[in-house]
Every structure is written in structure tokens, then in C-alpha cells.
Amino acid sequence: MTDPDPRPLPWQTATLTAIRPITQRVKSYRFQVGFDRPVLAGQHVDVRLTAPDGYQAQRSYSIASAPAGDGTIELMIEGLPDGEVSGFFDAVAEIGDTIELRGPIGGAFVWRPEDGGPLLLAGGGSGVVPLLAMLRHRAAAAPGVPALLLYSVREASEVIAAEELAVRARDEPHFQLMLNLTRAGGRRVDAAMIAEALERLGPPRHAYLCGGNPFVGAVADLLLDAGLDPARVHTERFGG
Ligand SMILES: Cc1cc2nc3c(=O)[nH]c(=O)nc-3n(C[C@H](O)[C@H](O)[C@H](O)COP(=O)(O)OP(=O)(O)OC[C@H]3O[C@@H](n4cnc5c(N)ncnc54)[C@H](O)[C@@H]3O)c2cc1C
């Protein structure tokens, strides 16, 4: 799928309006933006920082908020030690700062209510961020669409939006959460875990996988081995 809107995306100045801790390493950043097109769940923005000497660094960040049309977006950024851009956000950025960004970007890794379900979402670490946007959008616009999130992190303290996900799993009849803690007695996502997810959800109409390259590659292989049509498997890779 190509970008839903082929018009060029201009860089723009966005204002940082709120910062909130999410986990020890991840913070939420809300921006006032002036996008010239609607946001779709699953899309990302590019952020560009410019040093006083003109040096520029550019990175992509997924949009965590559901499409709202209120002129704001939420990003969730994991502060990496020595991370050029995430380190800036973690240690330097303050409410009221203006940041250069462009977006929303992405046409293949998006979910719209009319795309339906069942929806299999698999996230590794901060790869859960665009899946959160899909879950938030689904809850507001298509709560009857069955969805299962298989979310793999090292330990419980690293779970992004832990309380929100637990409340969704408790209160939303068609949403299931499979949390996999790899360091706390768990294991890497394997064929048995995928089989359990497919058993609980039923045959997915769409699968969205997001995280680092090894996570996404491994889960995609497991889904194809389980017989999923590759056309139904959408992937977003954060690098790493
Ligand atoms: C489409 C897309 C969406 C993304 N969305 C998010 C998001 O929502 N939240 C988020 O936190 N990040 C996200 N990322 C990753 C983000 O773009 C940066 O790669 C990340 O913040 C590191 O950039 P940095 O400048 O801080 O680190 P760098 O200065 O580039 O690297 C610092 C160190 O971290 C290592 N490193 C780089 N990237 C990663 C990584 N992803 N995981 C682990 N180690 C890494 C490098 O090898 C290096 O050792 C996304 C990436 C893509 C492509």
C-alpha cells in the first residue's frame, strides 16, 4: 500500500505541550501540531533536531494517540543511553519547546475501522506504540472488532501503558492481552505462543507486528509457518 496522501509532507514546527513518565525509560510527549491531513492509527512522524552548528539528526517516532482531529499527537519515546535524538527528549526537552517534525507518515502499517478484524497485534518493547494507537482507535470506533495484543518485553517494569492495557483487557469484551515477560520466567515468542494467540483470537484478518528487527522477523516467520497469508501480515521495524 502506498502513502494514503501523495502530497509532499512539509516540515513544520510543533509545540511540546506535555511530558509524562510512562516507564523508567519511556516518556510520553504531547505535541500541538498543524497537520494538513488526518492521522491514521499506526502512522509515525519524522522528528528533526538541528544543532547550533547546523548538524541535523532525524528519527522516526510512532504516534501513540488515536486519530483525534484535535490538533495534538502523543509520542512515546524510550530514552536510549547515548541516543542522539531519544537522549535529547529524555534529558533536554521541556514543555513549551518547539520541535521540527513532519507527518503523519505511512500507508502500509495503518488500521482503519473499516479494515475490520480479528486483529492480531504483536509488539516488542517500544514497538507497542503504534499498536496502542490502533487499540485506542478500535475501542472508540469499532469496539466489536476482536483484537489480541501479544506484547513482549523483558520485565514488568518495562510494560508501556501497563494500566491502560490491563483495564482494556478487563473491560473490553473483545480485547485480549497476552503479556510475555522474557526475563521474568518467560521466553522469547515461539510457535507455541503463536498457536495459543491464534487459538484464542481465531483466524486473524490482519496481523500488525512492530518492534526491533529480530522480534519482527521472528514473529513474521512464526505467523507464516502457522499458515497466515503474507498479504495479511503488516510489519514496522524500529531498527536495533
Ligand atoms: C517507523 C519507526 C517508528 C519508531 N517509533 C518509535 C517509537 O514510537 N518510540 C521509540 O522509542 N522509538 C521509535 N523508533 C526508533 C527511533 O526512530 C530511533 O531509532 C531511536 O529513538 C534511537 O534513536 P537515537 O537517536 O536516540 O539513538 P542513536 O543515536 O541512533 O543510537 C544510540 C544507540 O542505540 C542503538 N539503537 C538505535 N536504535 C535502537 C532501537 N530502536 N532499539 C535499541 N537500540 C537502538 C544504536 O545502535 C546505538 O548504540 C521508531 C523507528 C522507526 C523506523
Side-chain angles (χ1 to χ4, degrees), residues 59-62 76-78 80 83-86 237-238:
R59 300 288 184 274
S60 300
Y61 292 102
S62 297
M76 290 182 179
I77 301 179
E78 178 177 358
L80 296 175
E84 209 168 36
V85 174
S86 67
R237 293 161 190 266
F238 279 9

Side-chain angles (χ1 to χ4, degrees), residues 86-233:
S86 67
F88 162 82
F89 277 101
D90 192 41
V92 181
E94 289 180 353
I95 292 171
D97 283 355
T98 54
I99 309 272
E100 254 193 314
L101 58 75
R102 66 177 177 193
I105 301 171
F109 199 79
V110 298
W111 178 80
R112 303 172 182 82
E114 58 268 34
D115 294 328
L119 267 184
L120 176 62
L121 310 176
S126 55
V128 78
V129 174
L131 309 180
L132 206 52
M134 292 179 191
L135 285 175
R136 289 170 167 181
H137 193 32
R138 171 200 155 279
V145 168
L148 183 146
L149 172 65
L150 174 57
Y151 180 16
S152 195
V153 288
R154 280 171 295 207
E155 48 200 70
S157 64
E158 294 184 5
V159 176
I160 291 173
E163 194 184 333
E164 175 181 337
L165 290 172
V167 169
R168 289 192 186 286
R170 189 192 65 201
D171 296 348
E172 295 179 14
H174 303 291
F175 170 60
Q176 301 181 67
L177 176 63
M178 279 177 70
L179 197 53
N180 180 47
L181 306 177
T182 56
R183 273 195 198 155
R187 57 193 201 268
R188 293 198 174 272
V189 175
D190 58 18
M193 221 179 278
I194 291 293
E196 185 191 336
L198 294 174
E199 168 80 27
R200 285 170 64 167
L201 179 68
R205 187 181 174 100
H206 299 287
Y208 293 86
L209 324 179
C210 186
N213 287 326
F215 174 85
V216 172
V219 176
D221 286 347
L222 290 166
L223 287 176
L224 300 186
D225 289 348
L228 242 75
D229 176 353
R232 298 184 182 279
V233 180

Side-chain angles (χ1 to χ4, degrees), residues 11 46-49 56-61 84-85 102:
W11 287 100
D46 287 340
V47 171
R48 184 167 72 181
L49 303 180
Q56 291 189 321
Q58 184 182 317
R59 300 288 184 274
S60 300
Y61 292 102
E84 209 168 36
V85 174
R102 66 177 177 193

